[in-house]
Amino acid sequence: MAPTTTFDRTRLLPRSGIGVDGPWLVIAPPGNPVIRLDSRLLDRVELIGRSPTAPLIWSGVATAGVAAAALTIIPGTIFACAGFAYLAYERFGEARRRSRSRDLLLALGDLEVALHVADGPEAAKGIAEQLAPYTRDAPITRPEVYEDAKRRMRAQAEGKGEATARREIEHALLVGADVVYLRGDYLQVGQVAFRITEVREYALRGANLPLTGGRLLQAAMGLLVVAAEERASAGEDVNVLSKRIADYEAWSGHSVGR
């Protein structure tokens, strides 16, 4: 079922304009309509951070430089030691900052979309923790997710898996009241259409799709709909779905019996 197109913006993170409404990821930057993505479409929602490897390497090099300079008895050695020590400290500090620089990773098949959360690592973690239980790779822990999985399993057994999957995509991504969907070789956003090849080019540049009225949609976000259509055609992995259902039934039955 499609969500309402209005949302209380006071419930959003103040800097990034990102929030959660049940299984829906809500993105509402200032001046743009509310964008909604159904996380039940995704395989995973994870946290990512910039790699701290390079700063740590430079920190190690600088530390080694301190030791070497300290063993060298030449004028200016003390200044060399101080300089290397500062570099080691600065690089190590950068590595720590990078390890805490968290963004969201939205994954569907081979497609991974990064979403920056300007409000910091704890805010990003909170968003990920709220959405992850609804995704398709996560263990089932909620009754509503279990019922959704059972519904998809029944559809597969009845030979209606592809049709059911396509219905799920119909309102999985919205920009305001405009539905994002595929129409042949085009990605349609309300009344505006983009060639899929064009959307991929925008996404590779990390750019937004320009919509009417100055509105924007992250191009990579639009590609999630393309990836979902491809998965619908290929069919869901029934073995994975069956195992998730069985694991939940075993867990919930044990919990009830305690």
Side-chain angles (χ1 to χ4, degrees):
M1 185 175 66
T4 59
T5 56
T6 59
F7 189 80
D8 181 3
R9 290 178 181 258
T10 62
R11 295 168 54 193
L12 302 172
L13 295 173
R15 295 182 62 190
S16 58
I18 296 174
V20 175
D21 183 15
W24 295 87
L25 171 65
V26 180
I27 308 168
N32 207 59
V34 174
I35 298 170
R36 291 176 176 269
L37 174 70
D38 191 344
S39 65
R40 291 169 293 192
L41 196 72
L42 304 173
D43 292 330
R44 304 185 313 281
V45 174
E46 299 174 348
L47 289 173
I48 57 174
R50 293 179 297 163
S51 172
T53 303
L56 285 174
I57 290 173
W58 278 108
S59 176
V61 170
T63 303
V66 171
L71 294 174
T72 305
I73 307 175
I74 57 174
T77 294
I78 188 169
F79 297 105
C81 288
F84 275 123
Y86 174 77
L87 178 60
Y89 173 80
E90 193 276 333
R91 290 288 86 188
F92 182 70
E94 174 65 12
R96 291 185 63 186
R97 285 193 295 273
R98 287 194 175 198
S99 68
R100 288 177 51 79
S101 177
R102 300 294 186 180
D103 293 346
L104 290 176
L105 181 72
L106 314 177
L108 199 167
D110 294 330
L111 178 64
E112 295 181 337
V113 177
L115 182 64
H116 180 61
V117 181
D119 302 80
E122 292 305 317
K125 180 182 177 183
I127 296 291
E129 288 178 346
Q130 291 179 74
L131 293 177
Y134 293 100
T135 61
R136 300 195 179 200
D137 282 359
I140 298 175
T141 58
R142 298 170 181 258
E144 65 270 29
V145 177
Y146 169 70
E147 293 300 329
D148 182 63
K150 290 280 287 183
R151 177 185 56 78
R152 299 205 312 272
M153 180 62 80
R154 284 194 300 270
Q156 292 286 346
E158 296 168 1
K160 301 176 182 177
E162 183 174 348
T164 299
R166 292 190 186 283
R167 282 197 300 272
E168 292 172 347
I169 300 169
E170 287 177 358
H171 291 88
L173 179 61
L174 300 99
V175 182
D178 291 340
V179 178
V180 182
Y181 62 98
L182 283 190
R183 183 174 58 83
D185 294 331
Y186 290 84
L187 182 73
Q188 193 86 24
V189 185
Q191 299 301 313
V192 184
F194 301 88
R195 286 189 178 275
I196 294 174
T197 53
E198 185 182 8
V199 177
R200 294 189 193 279
E201 290 172 1
Y202 272 100
L204 286 173
R205 299 199 305 269
N208 295 315
L209 298 176
L211 307 177
T212 57
R215 301 174 304 156
L216 298 171
L217 173 66
Q218 186 179 355
M221 197 77 70
L223 288 180
L224 288 170
V225 175
V226 178
E229 285 279 357
E230 292 171 350
R231 180 177 61 194
S233 298
E236 186 169 4
D237 190 328
V238 177
N239 292 330
V240 171
L241 183 59
S242 177
K243 184 179 186 306
R244 292 177 68 225
I245 292 171
D247 288 347
Y248 175 78
E249 289 174 342
W251 172 79
S252 61
H254 175 70
S255 298
V256 171
R258 284 190 301 181

